[in-house]
Amino acid sequence: MSLKTAVAAPFRQRGTDRMAESEFVVALSLDRNWFSPDQAKTLVDVATSEGLLEPEGDTLAVGFDASSTTIPDGFQPGEEILQSRSTFEQVLDAVVETGVEKQTAVADINKRQSELGVTLNAAAVVYARSEGVDVGGIAAEVREEL
């Protein structure tokens, strides 16, 4: 997922799991020239809402193991990652990231939804867990929706 990769890059570059928000914004906008400073701040908001970043005062902590995230050579995130994604999209991306084909995952999620008679988000979480994908934070949100 390119959002996770974009978030991981500054932390990997500095070899840390915490940094000032301003340092994170500079890393994305000036150091890497991926976004404008305003766009980098938007990325902070989106990544925070998805649990990838955890604000601690003026500091950001990465909410996953950034050191194990691969940043491909020539990686350049698109502006689409600056938009919030639905719960279903978040779960689907997490599943696809583990190597499951997107079409297969969508078909299996739809089948689960039909069989269980639950919302699409709930079916996605059940499917992700059956595939061994950790979607803990999202699962809690979906549980509250039910």
Side-chain angles (χ1 to χ4, degrees):
M1 158 194 350
S2 59
L3 176 61
K4 190 174 187 179
T5 305
V7 169
F11 291 97
R12 284 185 51 115
Q13 180 180 351
R14 293 197 172 54
T16 185
D17 62 355
R18 287 181 166 56
M19 68 174 61
E21 181 174 343
S22 59
E23 186 179 2
F24 183 79
V25 168
V26 166
L28 292 175
S29 60
L30 299 177
D31 294 351
R32 294 188 175 266
N33 200 28
W34 284 348
F35 302 105
S36 71
D38 286 340
Q39 288 174 318
K41 289 176 185 174
T42 299
L43 185 131
V44 169
D45 294 338
V46 170
T48 298
S49 73
E50 295 193 18
L52 298 175
L53 288 174
E54 299 167 2
E56 298 173 350
D58 292 338
T59 303
L60 296 173
V62 67
F64 60 96
D65 183 9
S67 65
S68 69
T69 302
T70 302
I71 302 168
D73 288 337
F75 173 75
Q76 178 78 30
E79 289 186 26
E80 71 278 356
I81 70 170
L82 301 176
Q83 299 171 353
S84 295
R85 298 175 301 151
S86 71
T87 301
F88 174 76
E89 291 170 320
Q90 292 176 48
V91 174
L92 182 61
D93 284 348
V95 170
V96 169
E97 196 172 288
T98 67
V100 176
E101 289 291 323
K102 190 173 189 174
Q103 283 183 312
T104 301
V106 170
D108 289 347
I109 291 168
N110 287 335
K111 183 178 175 186
R112 289 271 166 98
Q113 181 185 19
S114 222
E115 291 172 352
L116 300 174
V118 296
T119 66
L120 183 61
N121 291 343
V125 167
V126 169
Y127 176 75
R129 287 204 168 162
S130 73
E131 292 295 312
V133 179
D134 180 21
V135 288
I138 297 170
E141 291 174 23
V142 171
R143 189 177 305 116
E144 285 184 31
E145 287 175 11
L146 294 175

